[in-house]
Amino acid sequence: MSERDSEANRFSARAARYARVGANVGGVAARIAGTKLFGLEGRNATNAEALAKALGGLKGPLMKVAQLVATIPDVVPPEYAAELQKLQSEAPPMGAAFVKRRMQAELGANWRERFREFELKPAAAASLGQVHRATSLDGAPLACKLQYPDMESAVEADIAQLEILFGLHRRMGAVIDTSEIAKEISARVREELDYRREAKHAALYQNMLAETPEVRVPGVVAELSTRRLLTMRWLDGDKILAHKQASQVVRDRISTAMFRAWWRPFSHHGVIHGDPHLGNYTVFQEAGEPKGINLLDYGCIRIFPPSFVGGVVDLYRGLLEGDEARVVHAYEVWGFKGLTKELIDTLNIWARFIYGPLLEDRTRRIAEGVSPAEYGRKQAFQVHSALKARGPVTVPREFVFMDRAAIGLGGVFLHLDAELNFHRLFEQEIEDFSVARVAGAQAAALSAAGLAGA
């Protein structure tokens, strides 16, 4: 059996991971449970810090899950979210000898002969793998993303522990039923393990953004890619935050590219990039001027039913025109159950926050006087308080990454202090919108990328 095959969710690796995760997380859970539970004493910053410290020693996929949980408003208490957001997802890099063994396992004994150059020291590290610079035999610069060993086992062990985080919150009197959220997070993190699928996602984005020159998508080198190795063309660029002090014109240009990179695939094809981490983008230049963004990572992609996109547009139109029936219809399309006037009013607190910049036909910032880390927290607290008297609300799983990505996108606009007419940008994206048009475009694009039936 090859090394690759033997890695598929190995029981021994999974068991070892369970032991480490369970000891760290379970110890903190017991400590919290031992306080006068789940009144205010269980929700203090010291316990939140202890949980973050326990998770921080583990690295790998649990970090990704923990950070993801922290970005979805009200899944865990705010003091826990604040600590979890501080965690860094990078695992310790693999050494040169280890990288050689991993590359041999993926491409065979003669793997070095398939590159003109290959840098054994990683250029970047992430939660599931690390990126190496390389040069193809014909001289093209490449980015090779190589997955860490035993990631399938680690992911399965970490997903099993996710319920501990959610369970703590439920016992603290949560008003959000996290069952569907847990399913959605688990499905997306498992998908990220399959680099062949990620290669198809990249092809999908090349198709969807073919006529959007301000957003660049790297081409995949199929003959140098496997399920655990993804080789793409290297796109030169610098970090978005390197442009925080640039002119307003430059910052607005980058922000406009970000807006289109996110809303265009969604409004035309029902697809979103669900991981708005700043490290997933760089800024490219032409003639010495920043002109747009490189979209680098395609692991966390969410494909929606066209009807869900219709619900997003219906909610926008309903809020814009004061059409309550259209607003209610949108929530029903999204999958919210048991809608009452009180629940609709509560959901509208969040909707008006997310849609607020899109509803005003003027040049404005995404928010005033708010830090990127705090963006959305005040509104989440308002929603939490309003829901408290009405019992748990089940959030449809499709909503999870839509919500998260919108918050992340807003955070980028805050970092860049963008001043845009978000209303007009959005209207451009939904011009001539129809659910049928999205359905047709989505089917064609998924088929071309080999994702039909995804």
Side-chain angles (χ1 to χ4, degrees), residues 47-59:
N47 284 333
E49 188 177 345
L51 179 61
K53 186 176 181 182
L55 294 173
L58 292 165
K59 305 296 183 186

Side-chain angles (χ1 to χ4, degrees), residues 33 54 190 228 394:
R190 286 186 179 111
R228 296 186 181 93
T394 301

Side-chain angles (χ1 to χ4, degrees), residues 314-349:
D314 276 336
L315 183 55
Y316 166 75
R317 294 287 185 211
L319 293 172
L320 187 67
E321 298 161 12
D323 186 342
E324 187 175 342
R326 197 166 186 177
V327 169
V328 172
H329 175 69
Y331 290 138
E332 289 173 342
V333 167
W334 283 359
F336 282 98
K337 308 290 186 187
L339 289 170
T340 62
K341 186 180 187 311
E342 292 78 12
L343 179 54
I344 290 163
D345 289 344
T346 302
L347 292 173
N348 281 347
I349 296 172

Side-chain angles (χ1 to χ4, degrees), residues 284-304:
F284 69 80
Q285 302 203 7
E286 289 178 352
E289 273 282 300
K291 289 294 184 183
I293 62 164
N294 299 315
L295 185 50
L296 302 178
D297 190 281
Y298 299 86
C300 190
I301 302 299
R302 186 45 156 108
I303 302 165
F304 292 92

Side-chain angles (χ1 to χ4, degrees), residues 225-265:
S225 298
T226 68
R227 187 163 181 254
R228 296 186 181 93
L229 171 67
L230 178 60
T231 300
M232 299 187 288
R233 301 293 181 183
W234 184 278
L235 295 180
D236 284 321
D238 48 18
K239 294 179 179 179
I240 283 182
L241 294 186
H243 297 274
K244 284 185 73 167
Q245 305 304 319
S247 69
Q248 190 70 51
V249 169
V250 166
R251 286 182 282 121
D252 289 347
R253 185 186 302 142
I254 296 168
S255 299
T256 299
M258 282 292 299
F259 188 97
R260 290 181 177 143
W262 198 83
W263 277 110
R264 187 156 292 175

Side-chain angles (χ1 to χ4, degrees), residues 70-74 77-86 350 353-354 366-382 406-408 410-412 414-415:
T71 62
I72 302 171
D74 206 49
E79 58 270 30
Y80 285 75
E83 286 298 327
L84 294 177
Q85 280 188 310
K86 297 175 185 176
W350 191 244
F353 163 68
I354 293 290
I366 198 81
E368 297 287 350
V370 180
S371 73
E374 289 299 311
Y375 183 65
R377 300 250 166 245
K378 176 184 173 185
Q379 289 74 17
F381 178 77
Q382 286 180 295
I407 291 292
V412 174
L414 284 173
H415 276 300

